């Protein structure tokens, strides 16, 4: 009896635990809320393009090691004087053999190693600036995806609010129809109009999914789209710094302009290296000989040294000297072009942002309130028979158009702000 009780108790406990686990698994996971700072951190940690390009900096640092290496010494072991055939009946093959190990070393002059290392270090600076420029471009794409997500959320929220408001209108209209206050045709026209509001909700949901997919792609993240949610301010700042302030920040900050300046500096170092490579580098040699053949019958163990100096009569590295000198001029022109491009980017982005602000200000100050007031007034009048159904539908359509235009304009402003941040080289407008 007791055994049966405990067996039943154990089975019931296991079934309860299994049911609890099943319920927990069936319960949907809460959505992760991502702010812009969190998204940016995940991007820097996970984006494969950015991580792959970061390796180029380490490769450039490895080239610094190679550039500063000394030439390797040369070791030579030679033997001579071995008798290979009898002569006049005498066969002593190893009696005259002598061995001579030698070592030689190329001595580099005119600070060639130091100049090679300096050029490699400046190459590393260029790689770092190029990496920062790639990150600047990718961050703009990321910011665009983030803004698109916020914009789609705002559009979806507006579409759902409009649908809820219209359902409220429909309920009142059905009550009026039941009371005999409006005709069947008017109620049918109102109910048919609901299709547009449903379509707005569906289109907004699709846009939100596409924006989240783009955001996850840039983050190299496999999280299901229904488990993420982007959050952040979806508004505009009416104040804007003068254009010259942005131009100054861009000149000081833009990584591609820094890379162009560093390229000029490296070209100057490469020219110095080309001049140094045109100088003569002697080769120093020393050797030891056992059983040497010389005029000293007692010179069984001897030591010799030599210095080899190339005669730079024809090849004095003239071509490389000329090429590197011309390369200085070329990189200076590219630096000037980069600076002009930076200023052009700032001016163009600033003009776009100013244009968006010009459109947004009257919306916030006047148009939104007017659209709401017109809709509420016409609806109030329509309820009491003072306005026609056509008047109400027209006012409702105008309200939807104004509200959606405002949402899209804010999205355009945030995108233009991101464009200006990219043109400047850092986040100036949050």
């Amino acid at each position: 009896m007791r055994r049966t009780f405990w067996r039943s108790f154990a089975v019931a406990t296991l079934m309860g635990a299994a049911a609890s686990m099943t319920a927990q698994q069936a319960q949907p996971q809460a959505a992760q809320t991502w702010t812009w700072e969190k998204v940016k951190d995940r991007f820097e940690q996970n984006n494969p393009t950015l991580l792959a390009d970061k390796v180029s900096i380490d490769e450039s640092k490895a080239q610094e090691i190679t550039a500063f290496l000394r030439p390797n010494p040369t070791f030579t072991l030679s033997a001579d004087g071995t008798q290979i055939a009898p002569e006049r009946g005498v066969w002593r093959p190893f009696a005259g053999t002598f061995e001579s190990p030698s070592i030689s070393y190329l001595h580099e002059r005119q600070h060639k190693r130091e100049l090679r290392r300096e050029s490699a270090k400046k190459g590393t600076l260029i790689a770092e600036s190029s990496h920062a420029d790639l990150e600047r471009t990718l961050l703009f794409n990321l910011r665009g995806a983030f803004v698109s997500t916020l914009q789609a959320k705002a559009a979806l929220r507006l579409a759902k609010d409009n649908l809820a408001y219209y359902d409220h209108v429909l309920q009142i209209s059905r009550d009026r129809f039941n009371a005999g206050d409006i005709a069947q045709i008017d109620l049918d026209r109102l109910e048919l109009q609901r299709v547009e509001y449903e379509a707005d909700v569906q289109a907004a949901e699709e846009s939100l999914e596409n924006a989240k997919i783009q955001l996850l792609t840039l983050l190299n993240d496999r999280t299901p789209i229904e488990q993420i949610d982007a959050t952040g301010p979806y508004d505009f700042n009416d104040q804007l710094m003068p254009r010259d302030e942005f131009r100054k920040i861009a000149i000081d900050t833009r990584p591609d302009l820094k890379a162009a300046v560093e390229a000029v500096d490296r070209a100057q170092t490469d020219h110095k290296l080309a001049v140094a490579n045109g100088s003569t580098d002697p080769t120093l040699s020393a050797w030891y000989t056992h059983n040497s053949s010389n005029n000293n019958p007692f010179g069984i163990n001897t030591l010799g040294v030599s210095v080899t100096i190339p005669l730079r009569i024809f090849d004095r590295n003239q071509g490389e000297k000329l090429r590197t000198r011309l390369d200085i001029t070329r990189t200076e022109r590219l630096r000037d072009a980069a600076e002009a491009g930076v200023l052009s980017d700032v001016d163009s982005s600033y003009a776009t942002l100013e244009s968006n602000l010009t459109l947004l200000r009257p919306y916030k100050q006047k148009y939104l309130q007017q659209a709401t007031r017109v809709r509420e007034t016409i609806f109030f009048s329509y309820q009491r028979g003072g306005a026609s159904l056509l008047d109400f539908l027209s006012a409702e359509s105008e309200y939807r158009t104004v509200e959606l235009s405002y949402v899209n304009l804010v999205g355009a402003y945030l995108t233009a702000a991101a464009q200006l941040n990219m043109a400047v080289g850092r986040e100036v407008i949050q």
Side-chain angles (χ1 to χ4, degrees):
M1 183 74 177
R2 183 177 298 174
R3 183 180 300 171
T4 303
F5 168 76
W6 285 111
R7 184 181 301 163
S8 301
F9 178 76
V11 171
T13 303
L14 289 174
M15 291 179 64
S20 177
M21 291 177 61
T22 303
Q24 291 177 1
Q25 292 175 357
Q27 186 177 8
Q29 297 182 6
Q32 305 175 29
T33 302
W34 289 354
T35 63
W36 168 241
E37 293 301 325
K38 186 175 181 180
V39 167
K40 188 164 63 170
D41 291 341
R42 292 173 72 94
F43 167 78
E44 292 173 351
Q45 295 172 5
N46 299 328
N47 184 266
T49 302
L50 192 64
L51 293 176
D53 187 73
K54 192 174 182 180
V55 178
S56 63
I57 299 176
D58 297 329
E59 291 176 347
S60 185
K61 290 180 179 179
Q63 291 176 355
E64 294 179 25
I65 301 174
T66 303
F68 199 58
L69 292 176
R70 297 178 182 273
N72 289 318
T74 302
F75 175 78
T76 305
L77 178 62
S78 60
D80 200 359
T82 302
Q83 185 181 9
I84 61 174
E87 182 68 23
R88 297 179 185 178
V90 179
W91 174 243
R92 298 174 61 191
F94 299 107
T97 300
F98 68 90
E99 306 86 21
S100 179
S102 66
I103 187 168
S104 60
Y105 178 74
L106 176 68
H107 174 64
E108 292 186 308
R109 299 171 57 248
Q110 300 293 326
H111 307 288
K112 293 182 178 66
R113 287 177 57 240
E114 290 78 5
L115 288 171
R116 284 199 302 268
R117 180 176 62 178
E118 182 181 347
S119 177
K121 284 186 173 182
K122 291 175 179 178
T124 301
L125 293 177
I126 295 174
E128 291 174 346
S129 297
S130 299
H131 176 73
D133 189 56
L134 175 65
E135 183 176 4
R136 174 183 69 93
T137 304
L138 292 177
L139 276 176
F140 169 71
N141 296 335
L142 182 69
R143 184 71 177 182
F146 186 79
V147 168
S148 296
T149 304
L150 295 181
Q151 182 175 352
K153 280 185 60 179
L156 179 60
R157 190 183 309 112
L158 175 64
K160 288 182 176 179
D161 290 344
N162 287 337
L163 181 60
Y165 178 84
Y166 199 76
D167 285 340
H168 173 66
V169 171
L170 282 178
Q171 185 58 46
I172 294 176
S173 299
R174 292 189 186 102
D175 294 340
R176 291 182 62 192
F177 171 75
N178 293 331
D181 194 26
I182 62 173
Q184 177 70 51
I185 187 64
D186 289 341
L187 180 61
D188 290 343
R189 292 179 66 183
L190 284 170
E191 289 182 342
L192 286 174
Q193 195 72 21
R194 190 179 187 276
V195 175
E196 295 186 9
Y197 294 89
E198 292 175 343
D200 289 345
V201 172
Q202 184 61 38
E205 288 178 347
E206 182 180 355
S207 298
L208 181 58
E209 288 184 1
N210 290 332
K212 287 182 178 180
I213 290 171
Q214 184 183 4
L215 188 63
L216 289 170
T217 301
L218 290 170
L219 296 177
N220 194 27
D221 197 305
R222 302 296 183 268
T223 304
I225 58 175
E226 63 273 6
Q227 295 180 13
I228 66 167
D229 182 32
T231 182
Y234 193 74
D235 202 352
F236 68 96
N237 185 3
D238 197 19
Q239 303 301 319
L240 192 60
M241 290 192 307
R243 187 193 306 261
D244 291 339
E245 291 291 329
F246 289 103
R247 290 165 66 100
K248 183 178 182 302
I249 295 173
I251 293 297
D252 296 335
T253 308
R254 274 283 288 263
D256 53 341
L257 183 56
K258 284 185 177 180
V261 173
E262 290 159 355
V264 175
D265 197 16
R266 184 183 184 183
Q268 293 171 346
T269 300
D270 288 343
H271 178 64
K272 294 178 183 177
L273 179 60
V275 174
N277 286 334
S279 63
T280 299
D281 295 331
T283 301
L284 310 177
S285 304
W287 62 88
Y288 159 78
T289 304
H290 174 68
N291 195 21
S292 64
S293 300
N294 54 47
N295 294 329
N296 184 0
F298 301 101
I300 304 302
N301 298 299
T302 60
L303 180 67
V305 295
S306 70
V307 177
T308 304
I309 301 176
L311 300 179
R312 306 295 297 262
I313 299 174
F314 304 108
D315 177 10
R316 297 190 301 277
N317 208 32
Q318 303 95 317
E320 193 64 13
K321 292 176 184 176
L322 177 60
R323 186 196 69 80
T324 52
R325 186 168 64 247
L326 294 173
D327 195 49
I328 294 174
T329 304
R330 183 183 69 86
T331 52
E332 287 175 343
R333 299 293 181 270
L334 292 176
R335 177 201 58 197
D336 296 340
E339 182 175 343
V342 166
L343 297 178
S344 174
D345 290 345
V346 171
D347 292 345
S348 177
S349 302
Y350 191 90
T352 302
L353 193 62
E354 270 192 326
S355 175
N356 278 276
L357 283 174
T358 302
L359 294 173
L360 276 169
R361 290 187 184 107
Y363 267 85
K364 194 167 188 177
Q365 296 169 1
K366 180 173 61 174
Y367 297 150
L368 292 177
Q369 292 86 346
Q370 284 182 341
T372 303
R373 187 168 61 250
V374 167
R375 182 180 72 164
E376 297 300 331
T377 302
I378 295 297
F379 178 60
F380 180 83
S381 179
Y382 170 70
Q383 279 185 297
R384 286 154 180 78
S388 66
L389 175 62
L390 185 61
D391 292 334
F392 170 70
L393 293 178
S394 177
E396 183 66 20
S397 176
E398 291 170 358
Y399 173 82
R400 288 168 56 205
T401 301
V402 170
E403 288 285 344
L404 186 58
S405 296
Y406 178 73
V407 168
N408 292 334
L409 279 174
V410 172
Y413 163 82
L414 293 176
T415 301
Q419 180 77 46
L420 184 56
N421 286 338
M422 185 181 75
V424 170
R426 63 181 176 88
E427 288 194 357
V428 180
I429 303 175
Q430 300 297 328

